[in-house]
Amino acid sequence: MKRPSPANIPRREPGAPPALSSPQRSQWLLDAAMGGLSNPTQVALRLRGALDRRALDGALAAMVERHDALRTVFPLADGAPRPTLLPANAMAASETPLPSGGAPAAIAAEAQRRFDLARGPLFRAALHRLGDDDHLLVLTAHHIAVDGWSEALLTDELLA
């Protein structure tokens, strides 16, 4: 595959808002058609042993700060979605009670929560306590922000 040269990459006018990529536009249209219940990407991690919440929340916050895609929202401007980068606020895993159906029900419940592409967040972390030293961390992202390839990279980064 031939890499584009800098001369072939279209430049954006200074101050002009960025345009959606083709995959982003497709995901935005799918989300609009499904009323916010589109195809999320998810990773469920079983965390056994003593959990250092400060370290976990710090790792999540660092990840959100490092990756603009996790902080990008898509409000409408002049009738079209406009990618907008939110400030890097600290992110923490929300502690959520484990549903009666256990881990599978927790994962499914997170997948069913709607996303608001205009306001965000488009990346969530839910922590479920299974026991004293046993937790389930469910990371859910809108597919406009995270795909299967980047999901693996983010998981590796968080675990590191």
Side-chain angles (χ1 to χ4, degrees):
M1 172 187 244
K2 186 177 178 182
R3 295 181 66 134
S5 71
N8 295 337
I9 298 173
R11 292 197 181 270
R12 188 167 33 101
E13 291 296 319
L20 268 69
S21 66
S22 293
Q24 286 175 325
R25 180 165 300 284
S26 296
Q27 287 300 319
W28 188 88
L29 290 170
L30 179 63
D31 185 86
M34 296 184 71
L37 269 180
S38 55
N39 182 24
T41 63
Q42 282 189 303
V43 173
L45 302 168
R46 185 88 177 256
L47 307 175
R48 293 188 176 161
L51 179 64
D52 183 342
R53 276 304 302 269
R54 222 166 107 191
L56 174 62
D57 292 341
L60 287 167
M63 214 168 64
V64 169
E65 183 175 348
R66 177 178 155 89
H67 298 286
D68 289 353
L70 300 179
R71 299 185 280 120
T72 300
V73 293
F74 301 86
L76 290 178
D78 298 324
R82 196 61 45 92
T84 304
L85 187 62
L86 296 176
N89 297 327
M91 180 191 185
S94 65
E95 288 198 41
T96 308
L98 190 66
S100 61
I107 295 166
E110 284 300 316
Q112 292 301 311
R113 285 183 52 207
R114 295 178 190 270
F115 287 99
D116 183 341
L117 291 182
R119 286 188 231 131
L122 302 183
F123 175 68
R124 303 186 292 248
L127 184 65
H128 303 277
R129 184 184 175 104
L130 304 175
D132 288 341
D133 289 334
D134 194 8
H135 295 82
L136 174 70
L137 178 64
V138 181
L139 305 174
T140 306
H142 193 286
H143 201 68
I144 201 168
V146 176
D147 60 12
W149 186 78
S150 56
E151 178 182 277
L153 293 174
L154 291 171
T155 302
D156 289 347
E157 184 176 322
L158 180 65
L159 293 174

